Amino acid sequence: MPGVRPLVSTALSVAVLAAASATLLAGDAEGGDFLLGYAGCWALFGAAVVALRRTPDRAVAPLVLAGAVVLAATGLVAAPRTSTDSYRYAWDGRVQAAGVSPYDHAPADPALVALRDGWLFPDPGACADAPDLAPLPDGGCTRINRPTAHTLYPPVAEAWFLLVHGLAPADSRHRAHQTGAGVLSLAVTGLLLTVLRRRGAQRRAALWAWCPAVPVEAVNNAHVDVLAVWWRGDPERPWRGALLTAGAAFLLLTPGYSWYALLLVALVALDGRAEWLAVALAGAVAYLAGPALGQGATTGAYAAAAGVVTAAAGVRRWRRGPRGARRRRGRHARCRPAERRRACPGAARPPDQTRASGAAPKETSKRSHQMLTLG
């Protein structure tokens, strides 16, 4: 059957990507070794997205959603691998459930000793053998980073922490926030598929749904740095300004935390300019290799990402220019009419066919859309 081979090829690519993601997160690789495995996942991600371009249109949405579910599930195979932020989320939710404001007391405050348990505050005998545990002023230790500092998360994030705490089964520990983050990441995929369907661009949703940053940062590390509502003001170029602004800010500020780029990944999926994913990958290099290799690694990674973005902009500008237009016309002219719809996109019908047929153009909806994204 026509289209079966591309469909099988794409499904296999996503399956290999999911296997690689699960292996990476379930393993014990750290630092540079983890970064190498993560880079491999990004390479497989690129191959899967390319394969999706040849998949029949009717199969795109189910395949993107199925891949999103499988990849999100890989984030649940282990405790948080590269960040301890979710332990603070769990603590803040517990504190709120006890009727105490997390803004009033730091985790190390003796006033909250009654809320401590053996998961977030292990036995003092285990403190010396666990470098990831933070010391407490009283001689104990905790999984919460910066335990003497008050929480910095805004009220919307704190409400999310309380919600997860209230819905989570007893002793679910880190899996509560991982599962909640997985549900939110799948909700983002669903919203992308819905919005992009109106533009005939559902394949772009895979740029979020299958991106390795989602199972690693959004699900496994359960980061909630971004709970943002975005409005679409320009129906012809939604979110482009947000993508350019956010991407430029990343290149200028070179942040060292890789999960900050989750919002950027979602904006790439909406706008389609995949070159900005290089900035997200640069953030991973800065976070995983920066501590060992120094600021030079961070600067070099973001400089390379800037080069990718600049080169892609130059290629796009060339394609829109006179030479690119002549090349497209020449390619379309070499196609027989029966082949043009398949082999020469955009050449299957004359530009004025819709008008000549008397069909009224579809009115572009200017209704604002809102999307909730997780980072």
Side-chain angles (χ1 to χ4, degrees):
M1 294 178 61
V4 172
R5 181 175 295 179
L7 176 60
V8 172
S9 175
T10 305
L12 288 176
S13 297
V14 175
V16 173
L17 171 59
S21 177
T23 301
L24 176 66
L25 291 172
D28 56 2
E30 300 288 344
D33 293 336
F34 187 93
L35 179 59
L36 288 176
Y38 193 42
C41 289
W42 276 81
L44 293 171
F45 162 61
V49 170
V50 171
L52 184 65
R53 297 176 63 183
R54 300 188 294 272
T55 302
D57 292 345
R58 65 182 180 279
V60 169
L63 190 57
V64 169
L65 188 57
V69 172
V70 173
L71 282 164
T74 67
L76 304 175
V77 300
R81 293 282 282 109
T82 61
S83 172
T84 58
D85 285 358
S86 62
Y87 300 123
R88 168 77 75 157
Y89 307 164
W91 174 254
D92 282 4
R94 182 185 303 176
V95 170
Q96 292 180 85
V100 180
S101 171
Y103 298 110
D104 291 341
H105 303 275
D109 194 326
L112 301 180
V113 168
L115 299 178
R116 298 182 182 181
D117 64 357
W119 170 51
L120 292 178
F121 295 84
D123 185 270
C127 297
D129 300 327
D132 291 338
L133 298 177
L136 294 171
D138 59 8
C141 61
T142 178
R143 298 182 188 276
I144 304 170
N145 58 45
R146 302 178 181 87
T148 58
H150 291 235
T151 189
L152 297 176
Y153 294 103
V156 172
E158 292 294 339
W160 170 251
F161 303 156
L162 178 61
L163 177 64
V164 172
H165 176 85
L167 296 177
D171 296 326
S172 55
R173 298 191 173 187
H174 61 270
R175 294 194 184 280
H177 278 277
Q178 287 181 334
T179 302
V183 170
L184 281 179
S185 72
L186 293 176
V188 172
T189 299
L191 286 169
L192 286 170
L193 287 170
T194 300
V195 172
L196 293 174
R197 180 182 181 182
R198 299 165 184 164
R199 300 180 58 82
Q202 284 189 304
R203 285 175 173 82
R204 292 182 188 172
L207 296 175
W208 164 268
W210 301 350
C211 180
V214 174
V216 173
E217 301 294 359
V219 182
N220 181 258
N221 290 329
H223 280 120
V224 68
D225 291 74
V226 181
L227 279 174
V229 178
W230 288 84
W231 288 268
R232 188 180 78 177
D234 180 1
E236 297 300 324
R237 295 185 177 183
W239 301 286
R240 177 157 299 177
L243 173 61
L244 297 178
T245 301
F250 273 83
L251 292 175
L252 290 173
L253 301 176
T254 63
Y257 294 114
S258 53
W259 54 89
Y260 287 0
L262 284 173
L263 174 61
L264 193 67
V265 173
L267 291 173
V268 168
L270 287 166
D271 190 66
R273 299 197 172 200
E275 63 269 18
W276 287 98
L277 289 175
V279 179
L281 186 55
V285 173
Y287 183 67
L288 296 170
L293 302 180
Q295 184 62 31
T298 298
T299 302
Y302 278 105
V308 170
V309 171
T310 303
V315 170
R316 189 176 288 107
R317 185 181 183 87
W318 178 83
R319 286 179 176 176
R320 291 176 178 174
R323 293 185 179 180
R326 287 197 297 270
R327 184 179 179 182
R328 289 194 299 273
R329 285 196 297 269
R331 184 174 69 249
H332 295 161
R334 291 193 295 271
C335 295
R336 294 191 297 271
E339 297 176 341
R340 288 188 180 182
R341 181 176 296 274
R342 181 181 70 255
C344 301
R349 64 176 60 181
D352 60 342
Q353 181 173 336
T354 301
R355 183 180 302 174
S357 65
K362 294 183 179 180
E363 181 181 358
T364 302
S365 173
K366 296 184 179 180
R367 182 169 58 93
S368 297
H369 301 284
Q370 297 182 348
M371 187 188 76
L372 181 68
T373 59
L374 170 68

